[in-house]
């Protein structure tokens, strides 16, 4: 059920950059002009600023830079009964909060977004730097009934969809580095951490965690991180509208999930893979536990495992691992 704040935001966004008359807004909401003024006060407290003129009404001047639930929901093209959103100021990890919500029975799909994570987690037990700095920390929870061996293909499919969305939305040229790194200009702009609870031979629930560097000023990052990572804003030369981009990303994730669940993803997977894969034909080192494998990437198998041809011409498949480009090649 949209709140009065949702309705006001929807109307103001639709009119942007024009004025919206207070009496029209009041009529749309079915409340008095005084009540409209009170609701706008609530939005002001959240970080919105408005211009108000007696003869013309209201105009949106600026909006909160960080995650804002109503602003995301208003711009998300998904029926509210099909999805819910939890926006938090601070959390240990959005993946952990999503898992707690699933365990408590919250209806899926839903997303958890936090302005800051205290224990943001990356793959392979690493920490994910998660300050309140204009970056996105999001987890989207699903209850799919699919076999666990489809997880790798799911993560790749989601990564490809995110690449296409970023290419269209941000006019950048992203790449996907198997299995889950989103790259821009050879540096990491985002990472995916998919986690699932398995029930006998089926996935019971699944959390798709996404960390995306949107607006962080990279000069504030620890030097080792700034060498490897980049933000969208740094590449584009200007900040992005965080909540508009987040709404577009969530919409795409939900659509991509449906395509995965009904099998239609197979129609476009190969095309997207050829467009965004950055490893094909490259000589790499794949680290798997304490073993290192050097070889040339020849492609993927049906389950999303990476195919690597070694110096003797033998092809091996890897379901997991950490890839680095071979400096000797
Ligand atoms: C990686 O590249 O190692 C994956 C990073 C995934 C980070 C995101 S941020 C939101 C979600 N919550 C977490 O604790 N991790 C994921």
């Amino acid at each position: 059920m949209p709140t009065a704040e949702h309705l006001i935001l929807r109307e103001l966004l639709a009119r942007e950059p024009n004025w919206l008359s207070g009496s029209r807004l009041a009529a749309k909401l079915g409340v008095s002009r005084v009540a409209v003024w009170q609701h706008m006060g609530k939005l002001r407290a959240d970080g919105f600023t408005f211009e108000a003129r007696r003869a013309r009404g209201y105009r949106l001047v600026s909006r909160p830079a960080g995650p804002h639930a109503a602003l995301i929901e208003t711009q998300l093209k998904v029926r509210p009964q099909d999805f819910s959103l939890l926006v938090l100021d601070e959390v240990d990890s959005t993946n952990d909060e999503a898992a707690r919500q699933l365990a408590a029975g919250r209806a899926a799909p839903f997303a958890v977004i936090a302005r800051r994570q205290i224990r943001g987690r990356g793959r392979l037990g690493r920490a994910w730097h998660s300050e309140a700095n204009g970056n996105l920390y999001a987890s989207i929870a699903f209850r799919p009934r699919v076999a666990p061996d489809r997880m790798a293909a799911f993560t790749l499919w989601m990564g490809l969809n995110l690449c296409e969305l970023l290419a269209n939305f941000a006019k950048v040229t992203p790449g996907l580095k198997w299995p889950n790194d989103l790259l821009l200009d050879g540096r990491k702009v985002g990472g995916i951490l998919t986690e699932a609870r398995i029930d006998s031979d089926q996935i019971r629930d699944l959390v798709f965690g996404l960390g995306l560097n949107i607006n962080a000023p990279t000069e504030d990052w620890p030097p080792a991180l700034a060498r490897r990572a980049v933000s969208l804003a740094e590449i584009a030369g200007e900040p992005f509208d965080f909540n508009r981009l987040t709404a577009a990303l969530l919409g795409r994730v939900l659509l991509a999930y449906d395509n995965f669940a009904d099998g239609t993803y197979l129609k476009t997977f190969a095309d997207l893979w050829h467009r965004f894969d950055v490893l094909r034909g490259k000589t790499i080192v794949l680290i798997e536990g304490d073993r290192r494998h050097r070889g040339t990437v020849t492609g993927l198998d049906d389950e999303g495992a990476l195919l690597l041809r070694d110096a003797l011409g033998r092809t091996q498949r890897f379901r997991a691992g950490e890839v680095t480009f071979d400096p000797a090649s």
Side-chain angles (χ1 to χ4, degrees):
M1 179 66 185
T3 63
E5 281 77 34
H6 280 82
L7 295 171
I8 293 175
L9 280 178
R10 194 166 292 151
E11 294 298 319
L12 284 165
L13 288 169
R15 297 285 297 175
E16 233 182 357
N18 296 319
W19 296 86
L20 179 63
S21 94
S23 49
R24 210 170 123 179
L25 201 48
K28 268 232 143 104
L29 265 66
V31 298
S32 69
R33 292 183 62 166
V34 173
V36 167
W37 178 254
Q38 282 164 350
H39 287 303
M40 296 197 59
K42 216 163 154 198
L43 288 168
R44 278 197 189 90
D46 280 358
F48 290 89
T49 55
F50 306 100
E51 210 177 330
R53 293 228 188 121
R54 188 181 287 274
R56 309 182 87 174
Y58 300 101
R59 191 161 72 163
L60 193 54
V61 176
S62 69
R63 55 192 82 185
H68 187 276
L71 203 42
I72 296 170
E73 283 160 346
T74 307
Q75 299 178 89
L76 184 62
K77 292 176 188 66
V78 179
R79 295 185 313 164
Q81 62 267 39
D82 293 340
F83 176 74
S84 68
L85 175 64
L86 185 62
V87 173
L88 303 168
D89 192 51
E90 180 181 292
V91 73
D92 48 359
S93 150
T94 54
N95 268 32
D96 293 341
E97 180 58 30
R100 288 190 289 267
Q101 297 278 337
L102 281 166
R106 185 178 183 125
F110 64 86
V112 179
I113 294 179
R115 210 164 59 87
R116 159 169 192 260
Q117 298 182 117
I118 296 164
R119 271 187 299 282
R121 297 186 287 106
R123 279 176 70 234
L124 310 169
R126 296 190 184 125
W128 185 259
H129 188 75
S130 304
E131 279 175 36
N133 57 7
N135 288 343
L136 174 67
Y137 315 111
S139 299
I140 301 101
F142 302 99
R143 296 188 201 273
R145 301 307 300 182
V146 300
D149 61 7
R150 296 186 66 206
M151 279 266 292
F154 173 79
T155 300
L156 292 173
W157 169 245
M158 291 310 226
L160 293 172
N161 275 271
L162 294 174
C163 283
E164 192 176 47
L165 186 276
L166 291 178
N168 292 340
F169 187 102
K171 309 282 175 272
V172 291
T173 312
L176 183 67
K177 181 167 145 266
W178 181 94
N180 72 337
D181 287 352
L182 304 176
L183 302 186
L184 270 186
D185 268 4
R187 286 191 282 164
K188 186 153 165 166
V189 70
I192 294 168
L193 181 65
T194 311
E195 296 179 305
R197 277 194 304 170
I198 317 281
D199 232 3
S200 58
D201 59 347
Q202 283 213 314
I203 292 178
R204 185 184 340 162
D205 48 45
L206 182 150
V207 175
F208 174 75
L210 169 66
L212 185 68
N213 305 331
I214 297 183
N215 285 330
T218 45
E219 60 269 19
D220 293 354
W221 284 347
L225 181 63
R227 273 193 295 278
R228 298 184 275 114
V230 71
S231 68
L232 277 171
E234 186 179 331
I235 295 288
E238 57 183 3
F240 284 85
D241 179 335
F242 180 94
N243 291 291
R244 196 163 85 83
L245 176 53
T246 298
L249 285 163
L250 290 178
R252 184 66 186 241
V253 166
L254 294 171
L255 180 69
Y257 172 81
D258 287 345
N259 296 151
F260 189 81
D262 68 15
T264 50
Y265 78 105
L266 288 167
K267 286 192 209 153
T268 48
F269 187 99
D271 284 350
L272 288 178
W273 181 252
H274 284 116
R275 182 165 161 209
F276 293 113
D277 162 40
V278 297
L279 293 185
R280 192 179 183 86
K282 296 275 188 318
T283 304
I284 60 153
V285 175
L286 186 144
I287 302 167
E288 187 198 28
D290 52 8
R291 299 180 63 187
R292 293 165 71 86
H293 307 268
R294 187 169 179 278
T296 304
V297 176
T298 57
L300 280 184
D301 77 0
D302 287 350
E303 286 180 5
L306 194 73
L307 301 174
L308 201 60
R309 194 178 57 229
D310 68 13
L312 299 171
R314 293 172 308 201
T315 296
Q316 271 186 287
R317 60 192 290 275
F318 295 92
R319 294 169 67 95
E322 177 73 358
V323 170
T324 51
F325 292 104
D326 185 358
S329 69

